[in-house]
Amino acid sequence: MPWTKVYVDKSEFEKAAQLQKEGLRGLTFREALKEATAQMMEKDDRVFVMGEGVDDPGGIFGSTQGLHKKFGKERVMDLPIAENGMTGVAIGAAMAGMRPIFVHMRMDFLPMCMDQIVNHAAKWCYMTGGRTNVPLVIRSIIGKGWGSAAQHSQALQALFMHIPGLKVVMPSTPYDVKGLMVSSIQDGNPVMFIEHRWLYEQIGHVPEEIYTVPIGKGIVRKQGKDVTVVAVSNMVYEAMKAVQPLEAEGIDVEVIDPRTIKPLDEDLIIESVKKTGRLVIVDIGWKTCGVSAEIAAVVAEKAFKYLKAPVKRVTLPDVPTPNSPVLEDAYYFDYKRIVSSVKEMFREV
Amino acid sequence: MPWTKVYVDKSEFEKAAQLQKEGLRGLTFREALKEATAQMMEKDDRVFVMGEGVDDPGGIFGSTQGLHKKFGKERVMDLPIAENGMTGVAIGAAMAGMRPIFVHMRMDFLPMCMDQIVNHAAKWCYMTGGRTNVPLVIRSIIGKGWGSAAQHSQALQALFMHIPGLKVVMPSTPYDVKGLMVSSIQDGNPVMFIEHRWLYEQIGHVPEEIYTVPIGKGIVRKQGKDVTVVAVSNMVYEAMKAVQPLEAEGIDVEVIDPRTIKPLDEDLIIESVKKTGRLVIVDIGWKTCGVSAEIAAVVAEKAFKYLKAPVKRVTLPDVPTPNSPVLEDAYYFDYKRIVSSVKEMFREV
Amino acid sequence: MVKNKKLIKTAVKKSVRLVRTQADSPRRATKKGINSIPAKTLKGLYETILRIRRFEEKIIEVYPAQDMKTPVHLCIGEEAIAAAVCIHLRKDDYIFSTHRSHGHSIAKGSDMKRMMAEFYGRKTGCSKGKGGSMHLCDPENGILGSTAIVGGGIPIAVGAGLASLMKGTDTVSVAFFGDGAMDEGTFHESMNFASLKKLPVIFLCENNFYATNSPQSARQPHDNIAMRAAGYGMPGVQVDGNDVVAVYEAAKEAVDRARAGGGPSLVECRTYRWKGHVGPDCDVEKGCRPRDEHEMWLKKCPVERTRKLLLENKIMSEKEMEKLLDNINKEMDEAVEFGRSSPFPDASELFDDVYYKG
Amino acid sequence: MVKNKKLIKTAVKKSVRLVRTQADSPRRATKKGINSIPAKTLKGLYETILRIRRFEEKIIEVYPAQDMKTPVHLCIGEEAIAAAVCIHLRKDDYIFSTHRSHGHSIAKGSDMKRMMAEFYGRKTGCSKGKGGSMHLCDPENGILGSTAIVGGGIPIAVGAGLASLMKGTDTVSVAFFGDGAMDEGTFHESMNFASLKKLPVIFLCENNFYATNSPQSARQPHDNIAMRAAGYGMPGVQVDGNDVVAVYEAAKEAVDRARAGGGPSLVECRTYRWKGHVGPDCDVEKGCRPRDEHEMWLKKCPVERTRKLLLENKIMSEKEMEKLLDNINKEMDEAVEFGRSSPFPDASELFDDVYYKG
Ligand SMILES: Cc1ncc(C[n+]2csc(CCOP(=O)(O)OP(=O)(O)O)c2C)c(N)n1
Ligand SMILES: Cc1ncc(C[n+]2csc(CCOP(=O)(O)OP(=O)(O)O)c2C)c(N)n1
Ligand SMILES: [Mg+2]
Ligand SMILES: [Mg+2]
């Protein structure tokens, strides 16, 4: 089905253009995100966008570009640089009947508003015995490269995954980003909506109408029988790129994209491991207590007897992001690391 | 050796008093903590205590009580309620040559200063290529019970364990709390020093002189051959209480107290699992992406072939803390849950 | 050495003078105040003040039984503020409160039975037993919840004000907070944003001069909170918080302005907490506060002052007051009875309400 | 309807008036200013301003080669402030800066070679290639580091001030920050604490009226930052940031006061950023800012103004200035050469410095 398809590179892009002729609609991740936002704003008066620079000519890397012209600056609202207070404002507005989408250019700024996210948004429904709720979407973007360094490159999804009451989604395809944005706006709970900057150019099939992708449901991007690779966000593409080199080695990879990391689609992962007996987890964040730790733990608890080899985590090292290109090269990784990790796993046994 | 000893209850307390006659020195956790602070302040001009209410007659549950009389209010400094800003102040003071100990009555207030901890304290040494450092101890206390509810009971250690550049210690005994406090002050890095309120009355042997307990080294509290139970903070006591009931079932438990969760003493845990083949992790925080996830993942990666059974996590459920005593009872757990979890593990295989 | 010393000195002096002036003379009720308030309103104010007082005293009475397992932050000594602010509010106006929220909830019209049930951790509690004393709510009554994170509720109140504006309603939003909360950055961020957008928000600071046991002087360079407003281009006013008419007038101005689209205000009400920071005891014995300071404030009891005012102005008779007290006492007994006899939630409910299910 | 309308109105008007007055007339240099500053100092100021300008221009020149892989936030148009503030500082005084820190580092005396090497990600960089352009440091020179989290450095500067006080030294600490940083709660918390403890801190706000592309008017209810000081009981002064003598005088007052134990000050320097928020381009074309506004500020060029001032007052001759420029240009070439030819760190160094090893 076209909406489960991952287009890895340029040539796939061209194939997609071809598909367009066949009645499919090619849109970039960025466009899909903006379309979801615009369509929901049209449909529902309560939806509005807030964030530093959302009405900037750049429009949050294009994802909100021009929306203020269509909906006015009251509904596409530039903000003071005051993340904690403004998150409180978003929470209050949400509880009082609005449906804010709060956008952060970089995920690194979220520690500024941890208190409002962790102590307020996440707990409010519970603390009031379910009598109130906080329908709030918090978008944040993960950056990478060009010496952005320690304070402008972080992927902090694990911090939010740890907190009960939050939902955390990390879409990887244009189809999913639209559907998950619609679901997130409609969800009624605080949803951390995390986008990797390097996904923005990805192209894929995106229906024009409003549709949803369910929060909490992962998807098998490629079926395989030898090893399960669970990859999040932009790592889905790297995992897909690892498929062929591994096939060449006789290893048939199953690629799973959880799409949502909280709630996590444990069943999908466990079913896959039952079949393959092997698990590699690929995350764009740090290792210790990261997303990969949780997935490893779930499998060690619930699918232990199917495991034929040690679980493997392919993640960033536990080091702040360096500036120098040489150190960045050592810090980040791509599909090649996935290939070598999987191969290693088969060598070891 | 007396300093590895865990005194679980009253009768042990009395035994301790007995020990005192034998030349050992019984001190509560609270007293040991205060003694370490006072001795370091005496020894080193640069050390000072800051925090809301540190000079209060209550003195942070007694742990700083009266220190302001001895050292003056400049060195035992009450603060505005401004966690993020005051953490920045502590960082600046630390870099400029002081050695602050910042005390928080409840760990729940740390999300307020996540930015300064995560984006500044943790990264500063790295960002300056090691040319500066932040010798800062951040104490925080985990509470529990009496309807303290969602915002006054959290155990957020996993959030900090995830962040490179921080060290995270969770002492359980009077001996360790003194030795680890001394080490933390001397360490030269930002150290998250996490204390469970329910440990304060625990008694144990505490030498009078200044001594250190190394950061990053765990300890075997009780040797055993059938199953490894890794327990943190006050859960060490619950694990110790589980020893006998399990022995009665013919299960010989090894209890490990990591004392430091970042850096984690992986070797100690792995060596134990190699011997026992079984692992139960007991944490006082939430499960998902928690301390228990990391420990499970480490073992699933590095000691997989020694594992005879699925790993088990005994933690709080992924739910905000409720108020009602009935719900608190369902939320919290004690040694009985450890006993039943271990027994289950043996039944399953 | 310093060239423009004069200029700077003047600046310093000016700001200091400003502090002094305002600190020494918090606004009291205007002369005609009492006369311009309808008798019914005055009676209502007294009734609310008394109800809050008795509610808190009831807690003191029952707390030693140790079956009310929730930390209680009593507002005895501060009751006039809640009463005189909330009387200007409609059911659909919002208030956001703190750890010390009993008085605000009562004044806004919350059901005391459900409050007590909440304190007793019962299923019938206003937060179904999940929140406890620090997380009261009453959504139908404009109380969307309370937070015990100092300063945490201020921006949330501003957000509700923003929602009013966006929805085009004329509801207003009141952020109750203490002098301690003014230390927090959220105060600044909230004031700035509310002023920027001219939101219908009242920043209502109950300055009781302490945060836990930290005196204001250990946390702030001066004790004048109202004067902080000027920096934000916002009106600020300081009143004697134990003078119900003064609070009534200041709150009326602020609420009316907000409702009419005139934007936010900061109202500082100077008052004093009689009991300990948390729990039913008085902490003067522990050396937390000077005894004479405490005694001075006991003399400014808002219940007594309001009572005297009403008697002197013949708004209510002693007899009416006695009857009122009787009724209120009955309410309290009923509330406690309801709370104590209500069923506990089922343990399985632990897992409900983590997420809203729509 | 509203009873004390008058009182409130006055309050509003007062605060508004305060804004207007101060906003319309930022302090300029005093008449005698230029005469009371030694010629050598004036020369030094010009030299620093020019050095900063040429440093930034050098980056613009080399950036297209794409081997300087770090985001650069240029301060062209704002150079007078860094120069006129840092000239009052000793080597052991602290400054804390932001993402836009090149000028401050140069003015404080940092080695431009090591700065450039840092930008090029080399081992010889001031942060060993780990920090990049946003995290410059020079500990021996009072620069303990820079942070690119808006508002993040302000409390850290206050902490260094606290350390001075506790250690009994007379060093002062300067927090450089932008108008955007004033939005953050850390500004409030820092101002409050510094005033409370009378710390030797200078809050030096470079108000360039934009945060990224958000105009101040989209973030703050008025544009007067200096007047925020009064609420904290702190002197606040607003100066024309492109007038080097005005900044010199205001900074001198503030530094002298801090060093003498007189406590903190807020100094607002009004200025303008010529280039885009980040990178070597000018973003006027993109519609980020009105063209005429940009052009108006180009006319206020701090380099040109200072140059004219020195020529008119015969402090320096054209010839001397030319020679100075030559020398500075040589410095720049050397710095780039040093940066470009220095060795990269070894990949294994990735793991160093996560923790300080003592
Ligand atoms: C962020 C945060 N820090 C610290 C605390 C602990 N605390 C609870 S109440 C309180 C004092 C609050 O003082 P104030 O705002 O003046 O209210 P009052 O209790 O005087 O009514 C403190 C410090 C908290 N709840 N939240
Ligand atoms: C906490 C935080 N929020 C947002 C950003 C993104 N950001 C980087 S610079 C900047 C603008 C800062 O404006 P200002 O303080 O006026 O400094 P200027 O760039 O004008 O010199 C913003 C919003 C950030 N770095 N940190
Ligand atoms: Mg108070
Ligand atoms: Mg700016």
Side-chain angles (χ1 to χ4, degrees):
Chain A
M1 281 192 299
W3 34 85
T4 64
K5 184 92 181 97
V6 171
Y7 301 99
V8 174
D9 60 24
K10 275 265 167 57
S11 68
E12 303 254 8
F13 177 104
E14 275 137 28
K15 239 186 278 166
Q18 184 58 34
L19 288 173
Q20 223 155 325
K21 280 184 212 139
E22 295 161 21
L24 294 175
R25 188 164 166 266
L27 230 56
T28 62
F29 188 93
R30 166 196 295 116
E31 289 162 342
L33 186 49
K34 191 165 108 177
E35 182 169 277
T37 310
Q39 288 179 340
M40 288 302 286
M41 287 181 78
E42 249 160 44
K43 186 184 154 188
D44 186 344
D45 273 354
R46 301 170 302 175
V47 179
F48 71 103
V49 176
M50 57 191 281
E52 298 154 24
V54 290
D55 61 350
D56 183 286
I60 313 289
F61 307 119
S63 67
T64 63
Q65 203 167 40
L67 288 182
H68 63 288
K69 289 189 184 143
K70 188 160 182 189
F71 298 102
K73 289 206 177 194
E74 295 74 34
R75 286 183 74 196
V76 183
M77 192 189 288
D78 194 12
L79 290 186
I81 313 170
E83 289 80 1
N84 204 37
M86 290 307 108
T87 305
V89 167
I91 292 170
M95 286 199 293
M98 304 299 294
R99 300 209 161 236
I101 304 169
F102 193 165
V103 193
H104 298 265
M105 286 266 283
R106 300 213 178 246
M107 197 163 186
D108 306 71
F109 310 148
L110 292 185
M112 277 283 195
C113 41
M114 257 344 235
D115 173 63
Q116 285 293 335
I117 296 173
V118 168
N119 282 332
H120 294 89
K123 297 177 173 40
W124 207 276
C125 177
Y126 197 81
M127 293 193 304
T128 59
R131 294 183 72 198
T132 62
N133 66 310
V134 182
L136 167 63
V137 180
I138 299 180
R139 284 181 51 195
S140 66
I141 298 167
I142 299 168
K144 172 179 162 185
W146 202 262
S148 298
Q151 293 177 334
H152 279 70
S153 322
Q154 289 169 91
L156 299 169
Q157 55 273 17
L159 299 187
F160 302 102
M161 190 169 173
H162 185 55
I163 305 297
L166 297 178
K167 297 190 176 181
V168 186
V169 304
M170 299 186 76
S172 68
T173 66
Y175 182 86
D176 285 351
V177 79
K178 178 169 176 181
L180 280 167
M181 177 49 77
V182 172
S183 294
S184 298
I185 294 171
Q186 292 176 342
D187 190 72
N189 290 288
V191 178
M192 308 301 298
F193 198 94
I194 303 172
E195 309 144 29
H196 200 291
R197 174 78 185 80
W198 287 24
L199 289 169
Y200 272 44
E201 298 293 339
Q202 296 296 344
I203 199 160
H205 168 63
V206 178
E208 193 160 1
E209 70 276 8
I210 291 180
Y211 61 91
T212 59
V213 166
I215 293 178
K217 286 272 165 259
I219 190 166
V220 177
R221 292 296 181 193
K222 191 236 157 227
Q223 297 206 322
K225 60 179 191 347
D226 296 331
V227 55
T228 301
V229 174
V230 178
V232 300
S233 190
N234 63 325
M235 283 302 129
V236 171
Y237 295 83
E238 299 305 321
M240 292 299 285
K241 283 189 223 163
V243 166
Q244 278 192 0
L246 285 167
E247 217 157 76
E249 305 271 335
I251 301 171
D252 185 14
V253 179
E254 175 141 315
V255 177
I256 289 184
D257 175 358
R259 301 195 290 197
T260 305
I261 58 169
K262 189 182 190 77
L264 181 70
D265 193 344
E266 295 186 358
D267 292 345
L268 189 74
I269 296 169
I270 289 170
E271 281 314 306
S272 175
V273 170
K274 279 185 182 172
K275 180 173 67 176
T276 63
R278 287 188 168 81
L279 175 66
V280 174
I281 310 145
V282 189
D283 184 26
I284 45 169
W286 290 308
K287 177 175 283 188
T288 299
C289 270
V291 177
S292 65
E294 177 59 25
I295 295 174
V298 164
V299 168
E301 280 185 324
K302 301 187 178 171
F304 172 74
K305 66 177 176 194
Y306 302 97
L307 275 180
K308 298 179 205 151
V311 163
K312 251 194 203 312
R313 292 188 276 174
V314 181
T315 69
L316 295 185
D318 285 333
V319 168
T321 319
N323 159 64
S324 176
V326 172
L327 299 178
E328 275 189 347
D329 279 351
Y331 186 69
Y332 293 113
F333 61 91
D334 62 10
Y335 76 94
K336 292 190 234 76
R337 175 93 57 90
I338 303 174
V339 170
S340 63
S341 295
V342 171
K343 277 164 65 180
E344 216 171 80
M345 172 179 269
F346 281 85
R347 256 200 308 279
E348 271 164 10
V349 179
Chain B
M1 283 191 297
W3 34 84
T4 63
K5 183 92 182 95
V6 171
Y7 301 97
V8 174
D9 61 25
K10 275 265 165 62
S11 68
E12 303 253 10
F13 176 103
E14 275 137 31
K15 240 185 278 166
Q18 184 58 33
L19 289 173
Q20 222 154 327
K21 281 184 214 141
E22 295 161 23
L24 294 174
R25 188 165 166 264
L27 230 57
T28 61
F29 188 93
R30 166 194 295 115
E31 290 162 341
L33 186 49
K34 191 165 105 176
E35 183 169 277
T37 310
Q39 287 179 340
M40 288 303 285
M41 287 180 78
E42 248 158 44
K43 187 184 153 188
D44 186 344
D45 274 355
R46 301 171 301 173
V47 179
F48 72 102
V49 176
M50 56 191 282
E52 299 155 24
V54 291
D55 62 349
D56 183 287
I60 313 287
F61 307 120
S63 66
T64 64
Q65 205 168 40
L67 288 182
H68 62 288
K69 290 188 184 143
K70 190 160 180 186
F71 297 102
K73 290 206 176 193
E74 294 75 33
R75 285 184 74 197
V76 182
M77 191 189 288
D78 193 13
L79 290 187
I81 313 170
E83 288 82 2
N84 205 38
M86 291 307 108
T87 305
V89 167
I91 292 169
M95 286 199 294
M98 303 300 293
R99 299 208 161 234
I101 305 170
F102 193 164
V103 193
H104 297 265
M105 287 267 283
R106 301 214 176 244
M107 197 164 187
D108 305 72
F109 310 148
L110 292 185
M112 276 283 195
C113 40
M114 260 338 240
D115 172 63
Q116 285 293 335
I117 297 173
V118 168
N119 282 333
H120 294 88
K123 298 176 172 43
W124 207 277
C125 177
Y126 197 81
M127 292 193 305
T128 59
R131 294 181 74 197
T132 62
N133 66 309
V134 183
L136 167 62
V137 180
I138 299 181
R139 282 181 53 194
S140 66
I141 298 167
I142 299 167
K144 173 180 160 183
W146 202 263
S148 299
Q151 293 177 335
H152 279 71
S153 321
Q154 289 169 91
L156 299 170
Q157 55 274 16
L159 300 188
F160 303 101
M161 189 169 174
H162 184 57
I163 306 296
L166 298 178
K167 297 190 177 181
V168 186
V169 305
M170 299 185 77
S172 68
T173 67
Y175 182 86
D176 285 350
V177 79
K178 178 170 176 180
L180 279 167
M181 177 49 77
V182 172
S183 294
S184 299
I185 294 169
Q186 293 176 341
D187 189 73
N189 289 289
V191 179
M192 307 300 298
F193 198 93
I194 302 172
E195 310 145 28
H196 200 291
R197 174 76 186 80
W198 287 25
L199 290 169
Y200 273 44
E201 298 294 338
Q202 297 295 345
I203 198 161
H205 168 64
V206 177
E208 193 160 358
E209 70 278 7
I210 291 179
Y211 60 91
T212 59
V213 165
I215 292 178
K217 285 272 166 259
I219 191 166
V220 176
R221 293 295 181 192
K222 191 239 157 222
Q223 295 205 325
K225 60 179 190 348
D226 296 331
V227 54
T228 301
V229 174
V230 178
V232 300
S233 190
N234 63 326
M235 283 302 128
V236 171
Y237 294 82
E238 299 305 321
M240 291 300 284
K241 283 189 224 163
V243 166
Q244 277 191 0
L246 285 167
E247 217 158 74
E249 305 270 336
I251 300 171
D252 185 14
V253 178
E254 176 140 314
V255 177
I256 289 184
D257 175 358
R259 300 195 289 197
T260 303
I261 57 168
K262 190 183 190 77
L264 181 69
D265 193 344
E266 294 187 359
D267 292 345
L268 189 73
I269 295 169
I270 289 168
E271 281 315 306
S272 176
V273 170
K274 281 185 182 170
K275 180 173 69 177
T276 64
R278 287 189 168 81
L279 174 67
V280 174
I281 311 145
V282 190
D283 185 25
I284 45 171
W286 291 306
K287 177 175 283 187
T288 299
C289 271
V291 177
S292 65
E294 177 59 24
I295 296 175
V298 164
V299 168
E301 280 185 322
K302 300 187 179 172
F304 173 74
K305 65 176 175 193
Y306 303 95
L307 274 180
K308 298 180 205 149
V311 164
K312 252 196 202 312
R313 292 188 277 174
V314 181
T315 69
L316 294 185
D318 285 332
V319 168
T321 318
N323 159 64
S324 176
V326 172
L327 300 177
E328 275 189 347
D329 279 352
Y331 186 69
Y332 293 114
F333 62 91
D334 63 9
Y335 76 95
K336 290 189 236 79
R337 173 94 57 95
I338 302 174
V339 170
S340 63
S341 295
V342 171
K343 277 164 65 180
E344 215 171 81
M345 173 180 269
F346 280 86
R347 255 202 308 278
E348 271 165 8
V349 178
Chain C
M1 202 170 71
V2 187
K3 235 161 305 123
N4 292 318
K5 235 179 187 168
K6 245 192 219 157
L7 258 170
I8 293 285
K9 269 211 182 136
T10 328
V12 182
K13 249 197 244 148
K14 243 193 216 154
S15 72
V16 173
R17 194 170 355 111
L18 196 54
V19 180
R20 291 271 161 71
T21 331
Q22 296 206 3
D24 292 344
S25 55
R27 238 168 77 193
R28 308 204 148 228
T30 57
K31 285 262 165 60
K32 46 173 192 152
I34 176 92
N35 299 322
S36 65
I37 306 177
K40 205 182 132 203
T41 305
L42 286 166
K43 277 189 205 173
L45 286 168
Y46 180 64
E47 182 176 333
T48 303
I49 292 173
L50 195 63
R51 185 173 282 123
I52 299 172
R53 172 67 56 93
R54 289 299 301 133
F55 185 85
E56 300 294 62
E57 287 175 345
K58 193 75 193 175
I59 292 173
I60 297 177
E61 188 191 315
V62 302
Y63 211 69
Q66 304 227 10
D67 56 347
M68 183 181 278
K69 294 186 177 168
T70 195
V72 287
H73 300 77
L74 306 181
C75 67
I76 295 186
E78 310 183 352
E79 301 93 338
I81 304 165
V85 170
C86 292
I87 202 156
H88 299 296
L89 302 181
R90 300 191 315 227
K91 206 176 156 77
D92 59 347
D93 287 330
Y94 299 109
I95 67 166
F96 289 87
S97 183
T98 65
H99 55 288
R100 201 174 304 287
S101 61
H102 309 174
H104 308 137
S105 296
I106 292 173
K108 190 69 169 53
S110 279
D111 180 353
M112 293 182 298
K113 287 202 184 94
R114 295 195 68 180
M115 288 172 66
M116 281 292 185
E118 186 62 35
F119 296 3
Y120 282 112
R122 310 299 162 121
K123 200 181 162 80
T124 53
C126 57
S127 303
K128 292 195 336 208
K130 295 236 167 82
S133 125
M134 297 189 286
H135 307 297
L136 299 178
C137 80
D138 188 2
E140 292 76 30
N141 223 341
I143 306 177
L144 300 180
S146 309
T147 165
I149 295 295
V150 171
I154 309 177
I156 297 179
V158 172
L162 177 65
S164 299
L165 203 77
M166 295 186 94
K167 293 188 293 183
T169 66
D170 70 342
T171 51
V172 306
S173 179
V174 180
F176 284 103
F177 59 98
D179 52 294
M182 218 213 51
D183 298 349
E184 291 281 8
T186 51
F187 167 81
H188 170 73
E189 296 174 353
S190 302
M191 291 282 287
N192 186 62
F193 187 72
S195 176
L196 172 70
K197 300 284 181 191
K198 288 217 163 303
L199 299 180
V201 176
I202 295 92
F203 293 90
L204 203 298
C205 182
E206 299 178 316
N207 184 1
N208 61 12
F209 305 101
Y210 285 92
T212 321
N213 294 320
S214 292
Q216 197 179 4
S217 61
R219 297 176 289 106
Q220 295 166 14
H222 61 77
D223 73 352
N224 190 316
I225 285 173
M227 73 171 275
R228 307 270 187 155
Y232 301 92
M234 194 193 292
V237 65
Q238 185 178 74
V239 298
D240 176 349
N242 288 14
D243 177 342
V244 68
V245 177
V247 179
Y248 177 94
E249 291 184 326
K252 181 162 171 47
E253 272 174 24
V255 170
D256 288 348
R257 183 188 305 114
R259 206 181 299 287
S265 328
L266 173 64
V267 180
E268 175 191 0
C269 300
R270 295 164 86 93
T271 185
Y272 202 75
R273 151 169 70 72
W274 286 15
K275 296 290 163 185
H277 168 69
V278 61
D281 302 327
C282 176
D283 57 8
V284 176
E285 282 73 28
K286 294 181 210 140
C288 292
R289 291 177 289 165
R291 187 175 297 276
D292 54 345
E293 176 187 285
H294 188 254
E295 274 162 14
M296 194 254 290
W297 279 96
L298 290 184
K299 287 185 199 130
K300 300 188 186 180
C301 173
V303 177
E304 271 316 302
R305 270 170 81 176
T306 311
R307 180 184 150 84
K308 238 176 99 183
L309 188 79
L310 266 64
L311 287 173
E312 275 168 8
N313 286 274
K314 306 216 187 315
I315 310 280
M316 271 180 109
S317 67
E318 294 260 15
K319 210 164 170 168
E320 281 177 287
M321 285 182 174
E322 252 166 54
K323 205 177 148 203
L324 177 65
L325 181 60
D326 279 353
N327 286 341
I328 288 176
N329 282 340
K330 238 170 266 155
E331 286 174 14
M332 296 309 150
D333 291 340
E334 282 166 20
V336 167
E337 171 57 25
F338 178 81
R340 269 202 176 129
S341 63
S342 282
F344 279 107
D346 190 82
S348 69
E349 288 173 46
L350 175 66
F351 299 94
D352 300 340
D353 306 318
V354 177
Y355 294 113
Y356 172 77
K357 291 271 158 54
Chain D
M1 200 169 75
V2 187
K3 232 162 306 124
N4 292 318
K5 233 177 187 168
K6 243 189 218 161
L7 259 169
I8 293 288
K9 269 210 181 139
T10 328
V12 182
K13 249 196 243 149
K14 242 192 216 156
S15 72
V16 173
R17 193 169 355 111
L18 195 53
V19 181
R20 292 271 161 71
T21 329
Q22 295 205 5
D24 293 344
S25 55
R27 240 167 76 193
R28 308 201 147 231
T30 58
K31 285 263 165 55
K32 48 175 190 148
I34 177 94
N35 299 322
S36 64
I37 306 177
K40 205 182 131 204
T41 305
L42 285 167
K43 278 188 202 172
L45 286 169
Y46 180 66
E47 181 176 335
T48 303
I49 291 174
L50 195 62
R51 185 174 282 122
I52 298 173
R53 171 68 55 95
R54 291 297 302 131
F55 186 84
E56 301 294 63
E57 287 175 344
K58 193 76 193 175
I59 291 174
I60 296 176
E61 186 190 316
V62 302
Y63 211 69
Q66 303 229 9
D67 57 347
M68 183 181 279
K69 294 187 176 165
T70 195
V72 287
H73 299 78
L74 306 181
C75 67
I76 295 186
E78 310 184 352
E79 301 93 337
I81 304 166
V85 170
C86 292
I87 202 156
H88 301 295
L89 303 181
R90 301 191 315 228
K91 205 176 157 79
D92 59 348
D93 287 329
Y94 299 109
I95 67 164
F96 289 87
S97 182
T98 65
H99 54 288
R100 201 173 305 287
S101 61
H102 309 173
H104 309 137
S105 295
I106 292 173
K108 189 69 170 55
S110 279
D111 180 351
M112 293 182 298
K113 287 203 184 91
R114 293 195 68 181
M115 288 173 66
M116 281 291 186
E118 186 61 35
F119 296 3
Y120 282 111
R122 309 300 162 123
K123 201 180 162 80
T124 53
C126 57
S127 303
K128 291 192 339 207
K130 294 237 167 81
S133 126
M134 298 189 285
H135 308 296
L136 299 178
C137 80
D138 188 3
E140 291 77 30
N141 224 340
I143 305 178
L144 299 179
S146 309
T147 165
I149 295 294
V150 171
I154 308 177
I156 297 179
V158 173
L162 177 66
S164 298
L165 204 77
M166 295 186 93
K167 294 187 293 183
T169 66
D170 69 342
T171 51
V172 306
S173 179
V174 179
F176 284 104
F177 58 97
D179 50 296
M182 218 214 51
D183 299 348
E184 291 280 7
T186 50
F187 166 81
H188 170 74
E189 296 174 355
S190 301
M191 291 282 286
N192 186 61
F193 187 73
S195 177
L196 172 71
K197 301 284 182 191
K198 287 217 163 303
L199 299 180
V201 176
I202 295 90
F203 294 89
L204 202 301
C205 182
E206 300 177 316
N207 183 1
N208 61 13
F209 305 100
Y210 285 91
T212 322
N213 294 321
S214 292
Q216 198 178 3
S217 60
R219 298 176 288 105
Q220 296 168 13
H222 60 76
D223 74 351
N224 190 315
I225 285 174
M227 73 170 277
R228 307 272 187 154
Y232 301 92
M234 193 192 292
V237 64
Q238 186 178 74
V239 298
D240 176 347
N242 289 13
D243 177 342
V244 69
V245 177
V247 179
Y248 177 93
E249 291 183 326
K252 181 162 171 46
E253 272 174 23
V255 170
D256 287 349
R257 182 188 306 115
R259 208 183 297 288
S265 330
L266 174 63
V267 180
E268 175 191 0
C269 299
R270 297 165 84 94
T271 187
Y272 202 75
R273 152 170 70 73
W274 287 13
K275 295 289 163 185
H277 168 69
V278 61
D281 303 325
C282 175
D283 56 10
V284 176
E285 283 72 28
K286 294 182 210 139
C288 292
R289 290 176 289 164
R291 188 176 297 276
D292 54 345
E293 174 187 286
H294 187 252
E295 274 162 14
M296 193 254 292
W297 280 95
L298 290 184
K299 288 182 200 133
K300 300 187 185 180
C301 173
V303 177
E304 271 316 302
R305 271 170 81 176
T306 310
R307 179 183 151 84
K308 239 176 98 184
L309 187 80
L310 266 65
L311 288 172
E312 275 168 8
N313 286 274
K314 307 217 187 312
I315 310 280
M316 272 181 109
S317 67
E318 293 259 15
K319 208 162 174 174
E320 279 177 291
M321 285 182 174
E322 252 166 54
K323 200 173 152 209
L324 177 65
L325 181 61
D326 279 352
N327 286 339
I328 287 177
N329 282 340
K330 238 171 264 154
E331 286 175 15
M332 296 310 149
D333 291 339
E334 283 167 20
V336 166
E337 171 58 24
F338 178 81
R340 269 202 175 129
S341 65
S342 282
F344 279 107
D346 190 83
S348 70
E349 287 173 46
L350 175 66
F351 299 94
D352 299 340
D353 306 319
V354 177
Y355 294 113
Y356 172 76
K357 291 273 158 54

